[in-house]
Amino acid sequence: MAESRTPKSAGSGVQSVERVFELLELVTDAGGDVTLSELAASTDLPLPTIHRLLRTLVSLGYARQLPNRRYALGPRLIRIGEGASRQFGALARPQLKGLVDALGESANMAVLDGDMVVYVAQVPSQHSMRMFTEVGRRAHLHDTGVGKAILAQLPDETVRGIVSRAGMPTPTEFSIGTVHALLAELEVIRERGYAIDDQEQEIGVRCFSMAIPGAPTPTAVSVSGPVSRVDEQFGERAVPLLRRAAEAISAELAS
């Protein structure tokens, strides 16, 4: 009898784990908070099962119930996410260093985090005048090279939802300020395979960026520097190297 119960118990446990992660991903995809009915509409799970799993997540701190009865991601996920980001960044550092060695400019990796992009790794240039982005810094998606490379991987409706929630500030005269202009830019990025931040985040700075194929969360790598050095000829050298780095990181993630 004991032997017959073990497989069933193990299977049930695996199923519960799968359901928990499905719910967490649905909450994340919805922008960070949802109602029970919204979750029920997005999954085949029965409503009582969703409610039971959410109660467990709330009691453990991995979810929160807001005063308006919506459910949100919980604070205990932050520690897990930060640890995963550090490991993710460490995995990519050899490829980023290779970009810096070959191109002489700073290299970064960033991931989608809610409606923003967060930088998880950087290898700085050796130039005295260089670009430095603090690991952990969050930025808008529409005016950064990594952000636009990431947005180009997403459906237009998802892009509309992100910018409607996050806003579209224009820190420079070159920044994209409308959804229509952004969607047109993303179509260009999809066709050519890489993004350019041409002084859209900071005057005098240009960045070439490319998404990492098959990443578990939308991710991009970039090289950036002053416009005096990061010009069209730089881009011709950088794009093949960015592609090679992105593919190597993708293969490392899949291994």
Side-chain angles (χ1 to χ4, degrees):
M1 293 295 291
E3 291 180 357
S4 65
R5 285 196 301 267
T6 301
K8 182 179 179 181
S9 175
S12 176
V14 169
Q15 186 180 59
S16 294
V17 171
E18 290 174 346
R19 288 172 169 179
V20 162
F21 281 106
E22 180 184 356
L23 291 180
L24 289 173
E25 289 183 359
L26 287 172
V27 176
T28 301
D29 292 343
D33 66 87
V34 292
T35 63
L36 274 175
S37 58
E38 288 169 345
L39 283 173
S42 302
T43 179
D44 294 332
L45 295 178
L47 191 60
T49 299
I50 296 172
H51 193 213
R52 174 176 57 80
L53 293 174
L54 283 174
R55 283 203 317 268
T56 301
L57 288 169
V58 169
S59 69
L60 295 173
Y62 294 111
R64 294 179 296 135
Q65 186 169 27
L66 305 177
N68 61 3
R69 308 295 291 174
R70 297 176 71 86
Y71 287 90
L73 300 175
R76 291 197 68 181
L77 290 171
I78 296 173
R79 179 170 173 268
I80 294 174
E82 288 177 343
S85 293
R86 285 193 297 271
Q87 291 297 316
F88 197 12
L91 176 148
R93 279 188 66 82
Q95 294 301 325
L96 299 184
K97 185 178 185 304
L99 288 171
V100 175
D101 291 344
L103 297 167
E105 302 297 342
S106 299
N108 302 280
M109 186 170 76
V111 301
L112 181 65
D113 182 27
D115 295 329
M116 304 285 279
V117 66
V118 60
Y119 291 87
V120 296
Q122 182 187 64
V123 175
S125 165
Q126 296 303 309
H127 289 290
S128 57
M129 186 172 72
R130 65 191 182 189
M131 301 305 105
F132 181 78
T133 299
E134 183 180 0
V135 172
R137 172 177 169 255
R138 291 165 60 83
H140 283 85
L141 289 137
H142 72 284
D143 60 1
T144 56
V146 286
K148 291 192 295 181
I150 286 172
L151 287 178
Q153 306 299 303
L154 306 176
D156 284 354
E157 279 309 302
T158 302
V159 174
R160 290 178 186 275
I162 287 172
V163 298
S164 69
R165 292 186 296 268
M168 297 185 69
T170 52
T172 81
E173 61 184 295
F174 300 103
S175 306
I176 297 174
T178 68
V179 176
H180 178 76
L182 176 62
L183 293 178
E185 172 77 358
L186 296 181
E187 190 57 38
V188 171
I189 293 168
R190 291 174 186 129
E191 290 177 3
R192 72 185 177 201
Y194 62 92
I196 304 173
D197 164 7
D198 195 358
Q199 306 186 79
E200 296 163 50
Q201 178 72 200
E202 184 178 348
I203 292 293
V205 177
R206 187 173 288 126
C207 167
F208 287 82
S209 182
M210 190 173 292
I212 294 177
T217 189
T219 305
V221 289
S222 69
V223 286
S224 57
V227 293
S228 59
R229 296 196 303 258
V230 181
D231 54 14
E232 185 175 344
Q233 289 183 333
F234 176 92
E236 290 174 358
R237 292 189 294 123
V239 168
L241 295 175
L242 276 170
R243 182 173 294 111
R244 192 180 307 161
E247 290 172 352
I249 294 170
S250 176
E252 185 75 18
L253 289 170
S255 64

